[in-house]
Amino acid sequence: MWAVEQEKSNPLSSRQDLVTALNGMLSALDKQFPAGRSRFSLGKTSAHYATDIAEMEGLSRVLWGLFPLMAGGDTTPFSDKYINAMRIGTDPTHPDYWGETAPYDQRLVEMAAYGLGLTLLQEKLTDLFSEREVMNLHAWLNQITDAEMPDSNWNYFAIMVQLGFKRAGLPYDQSAIDRRFAMMDAYYLGDGWYSDGAGRPKDYYISMAFHFYGLIYATLSGDDERAAVLRERSRLFADDFIFMSAADGASIPFGRSLTYRFAMVAFWSAVAFSGLEVFTPGIVKGIILRHLRWWQQQPITDRDGILTLGFAYPNLAMCEDYNSPGSPYWALKTMLILALPEAHPFWQAEEQPLPPLAEKRVLPKAQQILIHAPQSQHVTLLTAGQLELNNYVNTEAKYTKFAYSSRFGFTIERGRYGLKHAASDSMLLLADGDNYYRGRRDCEEVRVDENVIFSRWSPWHDVHVDTWLIPFGEWHLRLHRINSARTLQTAEGGFAVRKTEPQADERGVSLVADNGMSRIVDLSPVIHRRAESIVTPPNSSVMFPECAAIPLLTGEIAHGESWLCCAVFASGAPVNHGEPPRLEINNRQAVISQPGSERQLSFIL
């Protein structure tokens, strides 16, 4: 979308700016799209499904942008190829037929885009097809009605198809809609939060899937009773989700599927599309457009203008096994706002900054606490550590670190041996004398209250760790009570910045780099840890390709009970962070105070 240099001069401030940007992306794709085909290739890397399905996926995901563009009344020279691909792909007599689906099939995922097209365009879409072609399209999509699929956000794909059928005047199955909603209601947690299936994480799929599809359904289904429930849940969620955004437009990288990039704010596009009354149109508009401008500054396309796999730059090492070369185009879900005409209040509203947000936002259902620096210049997410049951690549790095940052993101593991490769930022890692490090993965117990996230985890069967994460102004503290049957080497990291020389003292270490500063200070009551830093290999950070530097506290603990405690700070500028907090632990009561300030916090461990 931002491939050519002149695209970076696009202010992305108006509807026409987004139309121009989207057409620029479509133009780049068109050069890879052979006429008379129902799929195209965008690269030679692979996913866990067949190449022809991956090529169909890439084409289908573009429709998340093209269909809203058409629904908004815009004409584009690229639509004819995609409409013809639909004719060919759903024609069982054509060599380029998309085929019969199997259980858990990737093609079921992509059907939701065609459901969106039928939902938004109705007869404007079906009138582009002959009667036989409409029957073929219906028959191919109808495979999803009773399809076996993961019990997760995938259920919405079937709902989107049935909603499309209903809106376009085609035969539809209301019982299938009801059945899928009933399945998803089983993992509604309250306060607007779902998990992505029973026992699954609370990540961006809650925003870019559950609430995104839910608001489309609530707006266009005519199902008033269910719509009221979905809208209320989205309203509650919005009050929390706004805290994931920083003032500069960045959002916190966390969880899987980060290669979908600006789908991180697709929820806000659905808020605008649905007219959900939660924040002013100007605030919602600002969140979306600043986010797109942030991405505009990142090198996320190749020299041909094609979105790459990765996050803030091309990076295959961080990708999941379901990421094909066309997968990143789910980012275009954010283009739902193009279905709103120029005269819509959203486009007429003056863009507004984030509203004043509290320094701390506790999300009990998500087991997270968000910390906002002054004016939301930097946002930190503290989390209890979630286990992704599918064990995708780098699950620990994406879900179980203690903290994630809108500016510094996180690093991924690049090898199993040694600290250099172990993704030690925002983690406590332990080794049993062999230089193989283990950190938090599954949590046996989690508690969240107004001031603390508590988790209990066991890296070995005879090593048990109780961890308290405490937000304290722009700092956060980590307290670990370790009961171990073995002597262990320990390493605990702060946030990762670009490679730079450390500034160490007897209490901690600071790193001041061109992308910000990171500091960790040892507060352990008995054990004294060494303050140092470590440099990770290139492409280990999701935010920048250069080597990353991580401020580190290292030491050794004997068997029995040990306490390891620290304070962590990070900022986008080399600001004066002041004295680190003080910590006292007496008879299982912790007292945290700020030198020179009346700020104090106490709680029972």
Side-chain angles (χ1 to χ4, degrees):
M1 186 171 189
W2 327 118
V4 186
E5 280 305 313
Q6 56 260 35
E7 286 291 345
K8 293 192 176 182
S9 66
N10 184 339
L12 295 176
S13 296
S14 67
R15 186 180 183 280
Q16 186 54 51
D17 290 340
L18 261 66
V19 171
T20 299
L22 179 57
N23 274 316
M25 178 178 283
L26 293 172
S27 177
L29 289 166
D30 193 62
K31 296 177 177 64
Q32 315 299 324
F33 189 175
R37 295 295 307 277
S38 70
R39 63 195 90 220
F40 49 64
S41 173
L42 295 178
K44 297 302 181 183
T45 59
S46 186
H48 68 73
Y49 38 89
T51 298
D52 62 338
I53 295 177
E55 293 175 355
M56 174 266 179
E57 172 197 34
L59 179 142
S60 301
R61 295 198 170 187
V62 178
L63 299 174
W64 289 101
L66 184 61
F67 284 146
L69 186 68
M70 296 169 64
D74 295 84
T75 58
T76 174
F78 308 109
S79 60
D80 289 348
K81 269 190 181 179
Y82 290 90
I83 298 301
N84 194 48
M86 292 173 63
R87 295 190 186 100
I88 295 169
T90 57
D91 181 356
T93 68
H94 197 282
D96 237 12
Y97 176 52
W98 288 331
E100 307 301 309
T101 61
Y104 301 92
D105 198 305
Q106 184 66 29
R107 287 166 290 192
L108 301 173
V109 177
E110 310 317 322
M111 287 182 181
Y114 301 93
L116 176 75
L118 291 168
T119 297
L120 293 179
L121 295 167
Q122 302 169 273
E123 290 80 5
K124 291 180 181 178
L125 182 58
T126 55
D127 284 351
L128 300 175
F129 297 84
S130 69
E131 183 177 351
R132 167 54 60 184
E133 289 165 348
V134 171
M135 291 175 63
N136 286 342
L137 177 64
H138 183 274
W140 187 80
L141 290 172
N142 204 41
Q143 296 180 89
I144 200 172
T145 302
D146 296 308
E148 186 178 355
M149 61 179 69
D151 189 14
S152 66
N153 72 88
W154 281 46
N155 286 301
Y156 256 122
F157 306 146
I159 291 171
M160 289 297 297
V161 168
Q162 295 298 331
L163 178 60
F165 289 166
K166 178 181 179 180
R167 292 268 297 168
L170 302 174
Y172 74 99
D173 187 342
Q174 182 63 45
S175 66
I177 294 174
D178 296 339
R179 183 171 66 254
R180 298 289 182 179
F181 269 119
M183 294 171 74
M184 292 188 293
D185 276 344
Y187 31 85
Y188 180 64
L189 304 172
D191 297 341
W193 283 89
Y194 295 81
S195 59
D196 189 16
R200 298 282 301 281
K202 286 78 68 176
D203 53 22
Y204 279 104
Y205 277 90
I206 313 310
S207 59
M208 70 180 180
F210 286 90
H211 290 293
F212 178 82
Y213 303 127
L215 285 173
I216 294 173
Y217 184 89
T219 305
L220 299 177
S221 66
D223 183 350
D224 293 341
E225 183 175 350
R226 182 168 280 134
V229 172
L230 295 172
R231 292 177 74 86
E232 175 59 15
R233 291 179 180 179
S234 290
R235 188 191 64 76
L236 292 169
F237 179 79
D239 286 336
D240 286 342
F241 190 61
I242 195 170
F243 282 82
M244 292 291 282
S245 294
D248 65 352
S251 293
I252 301 170
F254 170 73
R256 64 189 179 97
S257 295
L258 293 175
T259 198
Y260 301 156
R261 295 187 171 108
F262 36 99
M264 296 169 104
V265 299
F267 167 74
W268 296 110
S269 293
V271 166
F273 176 80
S274 66
L276 187 70
E277 295 182 359
V278 58
F279 296 107
T280 67
I283 288 174
V284 174
K285 185 177 185 179
I287 293 171
I288 298 169
L289 296 185
R290 284 190 300 275
H291 186 73
L292 293 176
R293 290 186 207 116
W294 187 89
W295 283 109
Q296 190 181 44
Q297 303 307 312
Q298 314 308 317
I300 60 175
T301 61
D302 64 18
R303 66 187 64 183
D304 296 318
I306 305 300
L307 280 176
T308 57
L309 289 162
F311 186 63
Y313 65 95
N315 185 351
L316 283 174
M318 61 159 286
C319 291
E320 287 83 25
D321 57 3
Y322 55 82
N323 292 160
S324 80
S327 295
Y329 283 88
W330 235 359
L332 295 185
K333 292 169 81 170
T334 301
M335 295 299 152
L336 180 64
I337 50 177
L338 292 180
L340 302 175
E342 186 69 48
H344 191 277
F346 173 80
W347 293 115
Q348 294 300 309
E350 182 177 351
E351 182 181 333
Q352 293 178 292
L354 287 172
L357 296 174
E359 177 182 82
K360 175 182 67 177
R361 180 74 171 189
V362 181
L363 313 180
K365 301 300 183 183
Q367 299 175 334
Q368 300 167 356
I369 296 177
L370 286 152
I371 306 170
H372 273 240
Q375 289 80 52
S376 300
Q377 295 300 312
H378 178 222
V379 186
T380 303
L381 170 69
L382 305 182
T383 182
Q386 305 177 40
L387 182 64
E388 168 49 63
L389 300 179
N390 287 313
N391 193 32
Y392 291 118
V393 174
N394 282 297
T395 284
E396 292 95 332
K398 293 170 182 175
Y399 284 104
T400 69
K401 291 181 186 284
F402 302 132
Y404 296 83
S405 161
S406 64
R407 181 172 290 271
F408 306 110
F410 59 91
T411 69
I412 57 173
E413 190 176 83
R414 297 302 308 278
R416 295 298 299 167
Y417 184 81
L419 269 179
K420 180 178 179 180
H421 299 98
S424 59
D425 59 303
S426 299
M427 296 187 85
L428 171 65
L429 298 179
L430 308 168
D432 187 15
D434 55 5
N435 218 18
Y436 286 96
Y437 283 86
R438 301 187 186 191
R440 184 172 68 171
R441 182 173 166 81
D442 195 10
C443 292
E444 300 152 24
E445 182 182 348
V446 172
R447 296 193 305 270
V448 181
D449 67 23
E450 188 61 29
N451 297 309
V452 178
I453 296 178
F454 169 82
S455 62
R456 176 169 292 142
W457 47 287
S458 300
W460 288 269
H461 74 279
D462 56 358
V463 178
H464 309 290
V465 185
D466 291 344
T467 292
W468 291 263
L469 303 177
I470 307 102
F472 195 74
E474 290 189 68
W475 294 81
H476 74 268
L477 279 74
R478 310 175 195 160
L479 284 56
H480 311 286
R481 181 174 61 202
I482 306 169
N483 284 283
S484 175
R486 54 185 86 189
T487 298
L488 296 171
Q489 296 74 51
T490 75
E492 185 164 11
F495 291 106
V497 298
R498 286 194 180 95
K499 182 180 176 181
T500 188
E501 292 299 316
Q503 301 173 14
D505 54 45
E506 63 179 24
R507 297 193 64 191
V509 60
S510 297
L511 297 173
V512 180
D514 61 3
N515 66 327
M517 68 90 63
S518 176
R519 178 161 173 77
I520 189 168
V521 177
D522 191 24
L523 302 178
S524 302
V526 176
I527 297 171
H528 179 73
R529 291 186 280 179
R530 293 181 298 277
E532 53 187 293
S533 71
I534 196 166
V535 175
T536 70
N539 308 308
S540 54
S541 170
V542 301
M543 299 297 279
F544 50 86
E546 299 89 350
C547 294
I550 301 170
L552 209 62
L553 300 173
T554 61
E556 186 169 276
I557 58 173
H559 61 81
E561 182 176 284
S562 302
W563 281 88
L564 297 179
C565 306
C566 66
V568 177
F569 176 91
S571 173
V575 298
N576 180 8
H577 49 73
E579 286 292 311
R582 293 174 180 165
L583 170 68
E584 295 181 14
I585 300 177
N586 295 304
N587 298 320
R588 298 299 191 240
Q589 179 169 350
V591 179
I592 302 168
S593 59
Q594 185 68 56
S597 168
E598 295 183 359
R599 184 189 290 264
Q600 182 171 300
L601 175 66
S602 64
F603 57 93
I604 303 298
L605 297 168

